[in-house]
Amino acid sequence: MEGNSLGRNIYAPKSLNELLHLREQHPDTILWSGGTALLRMQKDPVPFFERDIIHLSGVNELKKVRRTERYLEIGAGVPVKKIINVGQHILPFALAQALMSIGSPAVRNLATIGGNLGFRDGRLNSFSVLMLMDSIVELRMSGKSRWVQLGRLNSISATEVLTRIRIPFRNWDLQYFRAIGDPLLHPMDSLSFTVLAETNKGIISNLRFAVGNIGKSTLRSIDFETYLSGKKLRLSGRELETAVNIFQSFVQNIEGDLTPFQKDRSIRFVRWFLRELRDVYIFTE
Amino acid sequence: METEYFDIDTLSPKNVLTAIIIRSPQPTGTIKAIEFPPLPDGYFSLTYKDIPGENFIQVAAEKMPLLCEKEISYKGEPIAVVCGPERSKVLSLCRSTKIISETNYTFKAFKGYSHDQIIKEKQFTKGNPEKIFEDAASIVEGTYHTAARKARFTSYQGVLAGYTKGIMEIQTETQWPFHLRNTVAKVCSLPPDTVKTAIGKFNPTYDEKLIVPTIYASLAALLSLKTGKQVRFIPDREELIDFSSRKPEVFIKRKSAVDEKGKITAEIIDIEVNFGAYPLFADEILTQLIIGAAGSYSIPNLSIKCSGITTSEPPMNVFNGLSLSAGVFSCEAHLSRIAEINSCNPGDWRLKYLPGKPAYIPTGGIEKNFKGKELLEQIIRTSDFNRKYSAYEVLRKHRKPGRVSRELLRGIGISFGFAGNGFSGRKESGESHTVAVKLDRDNKVTIRSSANGSSSTAVWKETASSILTVDADSVKILKGDTSTLPNSGPSFLGNDISVVTSLVEKCCLAIKKQRFHKALPIEVKRSYRSSGVKKWDPEKLKGMPFNSLSWGAVVVEIEIDPVFLRPIVRALWMIVDSGRLYNRVIAVKSLESSILETLEWIVTEDEVTSPSVTDTGFNTPLQRRLPDLSVILSERRKNITGGISQLPDTLIPAAVISAVSQAAGIYPDSLPITPQILYKQMEGV
Amino acid sequence: MKISFLLNGRQFETEVSPTIRLSDILKANSKITSVRTSCMKGECKSCSVIINGEVVPSCMVPAFSVRGSDIVTLEGFSKTKDYNDIIQAFEETGASPCDFCRGGTILTIQSILERFAEPDEPQILDAFNGNICPCTNIGLIIESVKRAALYRKRKRIGRK
């Protein structure tokens, strides 16, 4: 542990057990993984933090990537660049796109997946993709661990630490991700779109769609997804219009989270996407 | 030793004091008191009461206070300074300082400004436009808006000042070292020759190092005088971007009388400029706006009124020139609109109505060897403008209104015009330049000049090395300060290339003549003083305003992504005739950089902040593609040397606006063009 | 807080506030002139350094996280053979980044060349995403990266 001139302490645990023990003793600490989002928000010449810091880079258990037949498991402290380097044959295409949209390669050397998911002030690029993929995260505290759906990450308690992300392999033969703008600096303009779908002989069997990077929430319209499931590709003109209308009324009724400009962009995107939708292995522009 | 980039952090000695400015938290009000927290030993404060000399910075006739005395004029106005050995402690002292002020105030806005906010007006009239309007076949009106523009990036490293043994030594990067020296002397009440300004090499992309270093240097010098120690400022990026150079916001209303053939017979133009709180360079900016708005076409009846407005916003003045570009933008965008309304190809329209040879610009200045038509013809041919324009017109006309297009929306735009070099021939601008070149016994060449722009120094080295036939490595731009270097004037508006380079050339040619007749070392000095005054009447705005005009034309091809409404520039062609060029490679490089910089501003998603585009595919980013750039340098006027740095900023905006107009089927009239603006116009929100 | 790390191959020790950015530690060192700061958001790359073999923006790295690291700045990198390839490419294309962004530009190019044997334009632009110093024409930088990649390819073939 090191003190500093501002009276804050920096803890540098060397193992997961030590980290969990520290977290239990000091629940009100900042968990410092890559620190890129935390430092981007800082304006002071010498960054100032109101709470003590636990620096995670010495915890090797958080830096492992494991692959089984059923899932890909990534430690929360794995840098984004290292995940991208896992390779396009293993990493789902949409997730790779989401990770590539985080900063520049130099920033991706520092930023970690855990930091991207665990950022308190808003949902960043990888969240909606991982959520749609039914990813689960391991939350650990001293002597206890539990796996929860990523969408329930908010239930994390003060003494728990996000340690692993498990991404099940599914046959998403239609994947798309696109982000516009910077969710950290311009949350009123930024947006991300994620689409995942399974198809069988040209029929959509399971479609998931999320609008992200809009502050703390991620939007999904179950009506929209349900309507499209079971439809044959390409969509007929009437089906397309109905789907767009369902999405449009969903978006128009949302209050607070989306600006009119963001709403318009989402609707334009949906219309364009559905029109271009074909039975293809991976959807690219 | 050769001139180099400064880094104030690296230059600073151990016991240096670091200073931070306390800025006004509100845009207007009356200061009742400044309550500093108890300052520990070694920490000091500074208010206007501590200033022994004048509390203002002066440029020509205009003044701006260094530290606010009573009436706050804009949010962020410097009110006091605190300095001390530890930067974080200084910051916390600044944050604990209370500015007690009256909160009952009125914000002076630009929109709906009142009459007493007009601080300066200029008028230019030619012929009798009011009468012509009575008989006009049609009248076309348009309002063109250029938003205030801030720097996207700044490399300014700050300032270090120290007062010892009666000499005030300043180290900083500045485009105008002698103005800085004189201001520091006046503020500190010291004789100018006791102030030495060491000049670092710099890269003044936005002219942000013209006035800002003078403010920081003056404050650092005052604190050094007060504390007896060396004092430094290392401003952070937010502070620099918010309170350094800003381009003024401009509204230009144009009303044109057009005859049956589509020719403009008269124009009435009303210009309003937002100078922010202090109108530095006001007279010059109003003049250049009028010159720019008048355009290059001989419109026989013209009335231009230009009003300078002060508001409760930070000062806006110099930013890659003095706003001539906003005038040219309005003129060229308006002409393209008139051409379109008259179902005329905008390239053909320009060719038809450009003046012949010799050409008179609207203020009466004569360009004897005018090559405008040749430039336009060449750019139209090279870019295949006519074919593309017709094709995109067909697409535009066949597009069904109100339907989201599946295809990319395409358009092409053209613009033509000129940029000046230096001030518009005003005596008080102090435009004098001196350069000294010395050839030593060991064939080493040293150049002494106080203008230190990084790209121009490369041109000077090459010029000296080729004339004096020495290695480029043996030519050095001498490091020095205002006590040893000649006054080479402010280093901006293309002066480094157009004036200082020609002085370097003259010096070298003189040395070459003397070389084998006189013993080495030989030193030659050459000076230049603006002679524009003879040809230009600054009161009536008549004559040739600049020593030389650089002409150019631009064609821009644009696509709009119909989903996210992002304008994407696919290709840009630019032809430039600035007379003789000293180094074509450097000229093309610098033009391409300026083109990308201008485009980044006009069509970027975020107005001021990072242009980072986060759309990426797995292996390839989708959007991040450079436009195809073709730059053609035309050196048809060998006897002239003009600057080129302002041309992209002057010509590209109108071409982009016209292209977007064709692509989206709307009439955008505001810069920059953001997806939000397109959304509002296309959706009629 | 006392921290020590390897700086350009030599042990370096300093007493600093633990949350101070690495860029500020390096700027305070008179032997390091290549590290500059501007955006403080990890975008502009003026402060790039190599930490444990990876190019990172040093403004995004707090002091407490670099204890025991191996840090190389342009001063250290310029003594390597890899540096010469990049400089040769600059000379041939005429790209001349200003002293302010030079360190960041060269180290970013190095990071591209380490990842891609034959980098294409989008890959180069992705790496330079956010490098916003307007001094240099990005087209020339792209050309320089491609040339430097070619020199390295020739060297590899030559070695075989």
Side-chain angles (χ1 to χ4, degrees), chain B residues 381-488:
Chain B
R381 205 170 45 242
T382 314
S383 62
D384 198 9
F385 179 83
N386 290 338
R387 187 184 62 81
K388 287 176 182 164
Y389 179 81
S390 309
Y392 298 154
E393 270 301 281
V394 172
L395 285 177
R396 184 174 72 88
K397 285 173 184 163
H398 281 83
R399 209 171 291 138
K400 286 180 185 156
R403 276 199 63 177
V404 177
S405 169
R406 294 183 65 171
E407 310 296 332
L408 288 166
L409 311 168
R410 291 198 165 90
I412 193 163
I414 189 168
S415 79
F416 173 83
F418 63 83
N421 298 300
F423 288 97
S424 60
R426 284 148 35 103
K427 241 183 196 167
E428 64 271 32
S429 66
E431 242 198 310
S432 68
H433 306 267
T434 303
V435 168
V437 180
K438 186 177 176 187
L439 178 67
D440 273 318
R441 285 194 190 91
D442 53 359
N443 261 359
K444 293 242 156 64
V445 180
T446 49
I447 300 174
R448 292 191 298 133
S449 156
S450 64
N452 254 345
S454 55
S455 61
S456 40
T457 51
V459 179
W460 303 342
K461 278 187 175 191
E462 198 185 284
T463 306
S465 108
S466 72
I467 296 173
L468 299 172
T469 53
V470 294
D471 275 354
D473 289 343
S474 48
V475 183
K476 303 278 180 223
I477 314 291
L478 210 65
K479 184 181 177 179
D481 57 53
T482 45
S483 65
T484 55
L485 295 176
N487 183 353
S488 308

Side-chain angles (χ1 to χ4, degrees), chain B residues 512-540:
Chain B
K512 193 180 174 186
K513 260 191 182 174
Q514 298 173 29
R515 192 171 184 173
F516 299 105
H517 304 285
K518 251 173 109 176
L520 293 174
I522 303 169
E523 183 168 37
V524 172
K525 262 189 193 175
R526 287 289 180 268
S527 296
Y528 161 90
R529 182 164 278 280
S530 171
S531 59
V533 188
K534 291 176 197 163
K535 298 181 278 180
W536 175 244
D537 182 338
E539 297 308 318
K540 291 179 186 154

Side-chain angles (χ1 to χ4, degrees), chain B residues 326-377:
Chain B
V328 174
F329 158 62
S330 77
C331 174
E332 288 294 308
H334 193 64
L335 292 185
S336 291
R337 190 173 294 184
I338 290 173
E340 193 229 303
I341 289 168
N342 286 284
S343 306
C344 180
N345 171 326
D348 291 345
W349 192 98
R350 283 171 170 84
L351 279 174
K352 196 169 171 187
Y353 295 114
L354 256 190
K357 224 184 313 180
Y360 287 91
I361 60 170
T363 53
I366 184 165
E367 275 281 76
K368 282 182 190 156
N369 204 7
F370 183 64
K371 304 282 185 186
K373 283 194 176 170
E374 285 95 321
L375 294 182
L376 260 177
E377 277 163 0

Side-chain angles (χ1 to χ4, degrees), chain A residues 174-211:
Chain A
L174 194 152
Q175 301 185 40
Y176 183 86
F177 174 87
R178 186 161 177 179
I180 327 167
D182 188 324
L184 272 179
L185 302 179
H186 305 286
M188 302 301 280
D189 292 336
S190 71
L191 278 176
S192 77
F193 302 101
T194 312
V195 190
L196 300 175
E198 289 170 321
T199 60
N200 186 7
K201 293 178 183 168
I203 295 169
I204 301 171
S205 55
N206 179 10
L207 182 133
R208 298 176 183 188
F209 175 69
V211 180

